[in-house]
Amino acid sequence: MAQELPRLENAEAHARLVHRIYTDRRACAESRELLLAVAYASALAPAVPANRVLSHAARLLGRTSTGRSRLAELVAADAPRYERPREAGDWGPGQAPGCQAPRLRPYVYRPRRPAPATEAAVPLRQPPASPGARIPPGYVPPIDYRNSQGVCGADSHHKVLEHDPRTGWVTAHWFCRRHADHAERVAAQVREQNAVAPEPIPNRGGLLPSYFKTDWEEVYRHYAPASWSPPSYGLAADAWPTPGSSLPKRSRLRLITD
C-alpha cells in the first residue's frame, strides 16, 4: 500500500525510536520485528520511495515457509481487538477447567478399583526391580489444589461468563453437573451487570498506530480477517483506557496514504 513518511532528522532520533520499541512491554518478538522494519523502511533505508514504505518493509521481513508474506501476517496480528482468555473458550467434555463451586469436605485421593480379569495376565518380560522412591524424613506431601483453594474441581459442564462493568473483559466461571444450582445462581448475579457492560477494551495489537500516523484502518482492513472491525476505543494502543493506570501520550511519525 502507498505510504509516505519524511526521514528522521538524524541517527540519534532513530536510536531513540528503536530504544522505545525495545522497551515497550506490550510488544512481543514478532510485533517488535514489525515495528523495527517499518521504522527502518520509513526513516533510514536508502533509495526507498516515499510511497513504498510497507512494500520495502515486506521485503525486509521476507516470507514464511509456506510462501506467505510475513508482513501480512504480522500486520494482521497487530489489528486492534479484544481476545477472550483461554478458559472462556469452548471446551469439550473433560477438557474444561475444574468446577469452581465450594468444597464441603477435604479431597482424598481414591485410586480406581482394577477391572476384574477373567484370566491372570502373564507378562511377556519380567520388569526390572525398582529400588523404590526414597522419602526424606519429615517430608510433607503437597496439599491438593482442591483443598488449598476450597473448590470442587470436578469435570465442568456449565459455563457462566461475567463481563467486567469497567472494561468489558470476560471472566469464565465453570461448574460441574452436581453444582448446576451454583451456575444458575452466579448467572443470575451477573445478568444485570453483563447487560450494561461496555464494549471490551482491546487487549491485543494497536502498536503500529502508536508509533506511526497514517490511515491504519485501511491497512488493517487490507490484511486483517474480513470479520475484523475497528474498536470504538481507537486503533492506537496508547489511547486505550486501563483501569488504575494511565499511559503517556507519545509523538508518532507521520505517514501519509496516497
Side-chain angles (χ1 to χ4, degrees):
M1 302 185 67
Q3 304 291 338
E4 185 175 334
L5 177 74
R7 302 296 186 192
L8 288 179
E9 297 178 357
N10 49 47
E12 183 179 354
H14 181 262
R16 289 196 298 267
L17 178 62
V18 171
H19 175 74
R20 178 185 160 196
I21 293 173
Y22 273 113
T23 56
D24 194 335
R25 295 184 178 181
R26 301 167 299 180
C28 62
E30 290 77 12
S31 58
R32 188 174 292 116
E33 185 180 9
L34 172 64
L35 294 172
L36 292 172
V38 175
Y40 177 78
S42 62
L44 294 179
V48 177
N51 62 346
R52 302 293 294 174
V53 171
L54 288 185
S55 297
H56 187 76
R59 287 195 294 271
L60 293 174
L61 293 170
R63 296 185 175 275
T64 65
S65 58
T66 59
R68 177 175 169 81
S69 170
R70 294 192 66 240
L71 176 81
E73 290 190 350
L74 295 176
V75 172
D78 190 64
R81 64 200 183 280
Y82 170 70
E83 288 188 0
R84 291 184 174 186
R86 187 169 179 265
E87 58 270 16
D90 296 328
W91 296 81
Q95 298 177 344
C99 177
Q100 300 175 10
R103 172 165 288 279
L104 301 180
R105 55 187 179 185
Y107 170 78
V108 178
Y109 173 74
R110 296 178 176 85
R112 292 183 177 180
R113 296 179 179 178
T118 57
E119 297 181 1
V122 179
L124 299 179
R125 181 180 300 176
Q126 188 70 20
S130 174
R134 295 183 178 180
I135 301 178
Y139 171 78
V140 178
I143 301 176
D144 188 272
Y145 81 95
R146 283 160 284 199
N147 293 331
S148 61
Q149 299 179 14
V151 296
C152 170
D155 291 345
S156 297
H157 295 270
H158 304 282
K159 178 178 65 175
V160 179
L161 297 180
E162 176 184 359
H163 296 262
D164 191 292
R166 300 168 302 168
T167 64
W169 293 347
V170 173
T171 301
H173 303 280
W174 289 90
F175 301 94
C176 65
R177 295 186 188 276
R178 292 191 305 111
H179 292 106
D181 55 334
H182 286 267
E184 296 175 358
R185 175 179 56 81
V186 173
Q189 290 177 345
V190 302
R191 185 174 296 115
E192 183 176 350
Q193 77 176 46
N194 287 354
V196 299
E199 174 188 346
I201 299 174
N203 58 359
R204 294 289 186 274
L207 293 181
L208 280 170
S210 299
Y211 286 86
F212 310 99
K213 288 184 178 180
T214 191
D215 187 0
W216 285 114
E217 181 175 344
E218 177 187 355
V219 176
Y220 286 134
R221 288 191 183 278
H222 181 76
Y223 291 108
S227 59
W228 178 84
S229 60
S232 61
Y233 296 93
L235 297 178
D238 283 349
W240 300 340
T242 303
S245 63
S246 60
L247 294 173
K249 293 185 177 180
R250 301 185 175 97
S251 59
R252 290 171 285 174
L253 297 179
R254 180 66 179 176
L255 281 157
I256 304 175
T257 303
D258 292 345

